[in-house]
Amino acid sequence: MKLNQTGNKPNPSCGTVRQKERGFTMVEMLVSLAMFAIIVAAVGAVMVPMRRSYTTQDVAAGAQQTTRLAIDFMVNDIRLAGLDPIGEADAGIEDATALFLQFTIDRAPAGGEANGEIDEGELERLTYAWDAPTRRLLLTYDECTGSSDSVTLVDNVSNLRFTYFDEDDNVTTDLNEIRSV
């Protein structure tokens, strides 16, 4: 071991600094900082579009689910079109075009039985229509009774057409021959 001029052991924290204990130079720090900034910018450049894509896909999935639910709701009601268990309500399709379907159902109230009449306020006269100017699929309850209510089932519907088929699966416009929609 070497001794300094005073005869003591040298103290590494005083005076000269050993080569291994120098630390980083300003240039090395700037280069490291620049590399870190480039990496963060690259990760950000990838993450921002991915987040936007995720949000877009999430909104599209929500719209598809809403549309699917509305179509299922409409299909269930259309399957009941003409339901007349007693045979006295004269239930059935009242009007049908490519953009519009109106029909009646003699529903049995909860816990009750069908009464053979199309009752106002009992959701027994239904109209499904596509309103092209507002791009909405509408459900109207009890139309033609003076107390109708319209509900928007789906917004931003770009196109909807009803097609009617007879018992042989031929397209028909005769209300009495319609067997499926």
Side-chain angles (χ1 to χ4, degrees), residues 29-50:
M29 289 298 289
L30 289 175
V31 169
S32 298
L33 185 60
M35 288 174 38
F36 180 73
I38 290 170
I39 291 170
V40 168
V43 169
V46 170
M47 293 301 289
V48 169
M50 285 179 58

Side-chain angles (χ1 to χ4, degrees), residues 47-60:
M47 293 301 289
V48 169
M50 285 179 58
R51 178 68 181 161
R52 284 187 187 138
S53 176
Y54 172 78
T55 302
T56 302
Q57 293 301 319
D58 193 39
V59 168

